[in-house]
Amino acid sequence: MLSFRKSKLLFILLCFVEIAFSQQFPSKNFSTIDGLPNNSVYSIYKDSRGILWVGTANGLSAIQNGGVKNYYVFEGLAHNSCWAIVEDRNHNMWFGSHGGGLTFYDGKKFEVMDKKKGLIHDKIRQLFIHNNILYIGTEFGISVLDINSRKIIFSKKIIGLRKLFQVMSFVEINSEVYFGTFNDGFWNIDLKAKNIKLVNHKQPDIFSIYKKRDSLFICHGDAINESISRISIKDYLANKDSNIHFGTSVFWNFATDKRGVTYVAGNGINFATGGIYKIINDKIINLNDVFGVESSEVWSLFYDSKTDNLYVGTINKGLYIIDLKQQIKYYSASNFKKSKLDIVSMDVLT
C-alpha cells in the first residue's frame, strides 16, 4: 500500500498531467481498408435494430456486430451515391441517392422510386420524416410521400435564383415542416393547401439549419466569423435577421449529445477551414485533435445516445467513431512530444 506522502505526490502529478495536456477521446477510423465501399461518407444512421448504415459516394454499408455488408445498384439500390438515410415507424429504411432517386428497404427487398414514379427529381439531398410523412428534398424542389401507401402526395418544382431549387435542410417547428434552400431562402410546407410559402429571405444562402430549444442555428457559408447565425425561432419566422454570428467554414450537419453539447460538421468551400467542432457560448471550438479526426472535410454526423458514440463522416477519410463516455482518459504520445509511449510501471492509488 502506498504511503500518504507518496499518494499525495502522485495525485499532484496526475493533476498536473490533467491540466497540462489536452485529453483525447478514444476513437476509431473505419475506411475502405475495413470494408467501406468508399471513403467519402455523406450519410450515417443507426437504426432501431442496431444496424449502422453508412452512405458513401459509391455504395451503402450496413455494419453490425463487426460485420460489414455493402449494397450497390446491382443489388437493388437506386444509385450508388447515398446522401440521406432515415427509418420510419415500421422499421423500414429509406435511402436518398444523389442521382437515382429514392430507395425503400423493408429488410428483405429494395424498391426504387424515381422521376418515372412521380418523384420531383432524382438528385436527393435530404430526407425528413414527420407524422408518418416522408419529405424529400432534391436539387429542383420537394416531393412528399405517404409512408403507409408509399405514394407521392405532393410535389413542388421551382426554378430558383441559379436555375436550381436545392433543398439543404428540413426542420420541424410547432408541428409544421420547414426547409432551407441554397440560394432561395426558408420555406414552409402547407400540405392542406398543397403549397409552399417563403418565410424568410434575409440570408437566402442556407447550407444547413438546426433547431435547439427555442433557437435556430443557420449556416450561410464560410464568411469569416459569420458562418453560423443564431436566432430565436419567433424572430426568424417573423422574417427578422440575426445579430449573433460566429464560425468560419461551411457547416453541413449538427448533432447534440445527452449532455447538451452540440457538434457541427465543417467542410469549407472557399477556405480549408473544415473539421469537427463543438458550439460553446456562440463560439466554435475545433475538436480534430481531441477526437483524433485526421480530416478537414467533415460532412455528416450521427449521435447514438444508447452507446454515447458520435459518428463522424468525412469526404476523404471515411468514418470516425468517437466514444464520448470518458470512462478512460486517454493521452496520446504527441501530448508528451514522443513518437510512442512505453509503459514501464503501473501502481494503484489508495
Side-chain angles (χ1 to χ4, degrees):
M1 182 176 293
L2 296 173
S3 67
F4 174 78
R5 184 177 181 182
K6 187 177 181 181
S7 297
K8 187 175 181 181
L9 288 172
L10 280 172
F11 176 75
I12 293 171
L13 177 61
L14 288 173
C15 287
F16 169 78
V17 170
E18 183 78 24
I19 295 169
F21 303 111
S22 62
Q23 178 188 335
Q24 288 191 326
F25 289 72
S27 65
K28 173 180 171 55
N29 180 226
F30 198 90
S31 68
T32 52
I33 298 173
D34 306 287
L36 280 186
N38 193 280
N39 280 335
S40 293
V41 175
Y42 286 101
S43 52
I44 310 165
Y45 192 92
K46 186 82 167 289
D47 73 14
S48 58
R49 297 179 176 87
I51 300 173
L52 179 66
W53 296 93
V54 181
T56 78
N58 190 34
L60 172 71
S61 291
I63 304 172
Q64 187 177 34
N65 299 325
V68 183
K69 169 64 177 175
N70 293 328
Y71 298 96
Y72 304 92
V73 168
F74 60 81
E75 291 173 294
L77 282 184
H79 195 278
N80 283 341
S81 183
C82 181
W83 280 35
I85 305 171
V86 291
E87 179 183 15
D88 65 33
R89 64 175 63 171
N90 300 316
H91 310 296
N92 298 313
M93 303 302 300
W94 300 84
F95 307 107
S97 77
H98 198 250
L102 181 69
T103 305
F104 167 81
Y105 181 58
D106 63 2
K108 297 179 180 178
K109 63 181 184 302
F110 294 99
E111 179 184 344
V112 174
M113 302 175 190
D114 54 17
K115 285 184 68 176
K116 297 176 182 177
K117 295 185 178 181
L119 195 65
I120 196 71
H121 199 268
D122 286 339
K123 284 189 175 181
I124 296 172
R125 300 188 70 98
Q126 292 289 338
L127 297 175
F128 184 76
I129 292 179
H130 179 64
N131 286 342
N132 217 32
I133 299 293
L134 176 64
Y135 296 82
I136 306 161
T138 79
E139 296 277 331
F140 286 91
I142 66 160
S143 286
V144 181
L145 179 143
D146 181 276
I147 288 174
N148 289 331
S149 65
R150 301 212 295 275
K151 301 294 184 182
I152 301 291
I153 59 174
F154 171 62
S155 286
K156 189 68 174 180
K157 182 176 182 178
I158 293 179
I159 303 301
L161 183 64
R162 296 190 179 183
K163 308 301 181 185
L164 300 169
F165 194 67
Q166 293 175 285
V167 178
M168 306 298 288
S169 189
F170 288 101
V171 63
E172 178 271 323
I173 301 173
N174 299 326
S175 297
E176 295 186 51
V177 176
Y178 297 77
F179 64 90
T181 63
F182 176 53
N183 275 112
D184 298 285
F186 184 72
W187 299 70
N188 171 244
I189 303 171
D190 188 342
L191 285 184
K192 291 182 179 179
K194 295 288 195 261
N195 202 6
I196 62 175
K197 174 186 175 183
L198 181 62
V199 175
N200 191 307
H201 204 263
K202 292 293 186 181
Q203 292 177 293
D205 55 329
I206 297 170
F207 283 86
S208 59
I209 297 177
Y210 186 71
K211 182 178 75 170
K212 186 174 182 181
R213 293 189 285 273
D214 61 350
S215 295
L216 293 175
F217 293 87
I218 307 167
C219 177
H220 296 287
D222 53 0
I224 297 174
N225 295 324
E226 293 186 352
S227 295
I228 297 175
S229 298
R230 184 173 68 81
I231 186 171
S232 74
I233 292 173
K234 180 181 178 181
D235 285 348
Y236 196 66
L237 294 184
N239 199 29
K240 295 182 180 180
D241 200 357
S242 168
N243 58 5
I244 301 174
H245 308 279
F246 57 94
T248 305
S249 189
V250 177
F251 296 100
W252 302 89
N253 212 278
F254 293 73
T256 298
D257 68 17
K258 63 177 65 177
R259 301 160 195 84
V261 178
T262 297
Y263 305 93
V264 284
N267 181 25
I269 295 177
N270 299 310
F271 309 99
T273 54
I276 176 68
Y277 294 84
K278 68 178 177 180
I279 297 176
I280 299 291
N281 298 325
D282 295 331
K283 295 181 180 179
I284 60 168
I285 299 172
N286 186 278
L287 299 174
N288 277 60
D289 289 340
V290 176
F291 284 169
V293 174
E294 298 179 353
S295 174
S296 62
E297 300 177 46
V298 179
W299 182 281
S300 51
L301 298 176
F302 184 86
Y303 174 69
D304 181 6
S305 60
K306 291 183 179 179
T307 61
D308 206 9
N309 284 338
L310 178 68
Y311 296 91
V312 178
T314 73
I315 298 301
N316 57 351
K317 296 285 187 179
L319 175 74
Y320 285 86
I321 306 170
I322 317 298
D323 185 349
L324 299 178
K325 289 188 290 294
Q326 296 181 284
Q327 291 179 332
I328 299 175
K329 295 188 176 181
Y330 169 73
Y331 303 93
S332 70
S334 61
N335 290 139
F336 301 89
K337 298 181 180 181
K338 302 282 187 180
S339 60
K340 66 175 184 177
L341 293 176
D342 295 319
I343 297 175
V344 296
S345 179
M346 295 183 70
D347 210 336
V348 178
L349 276 72
T350 59

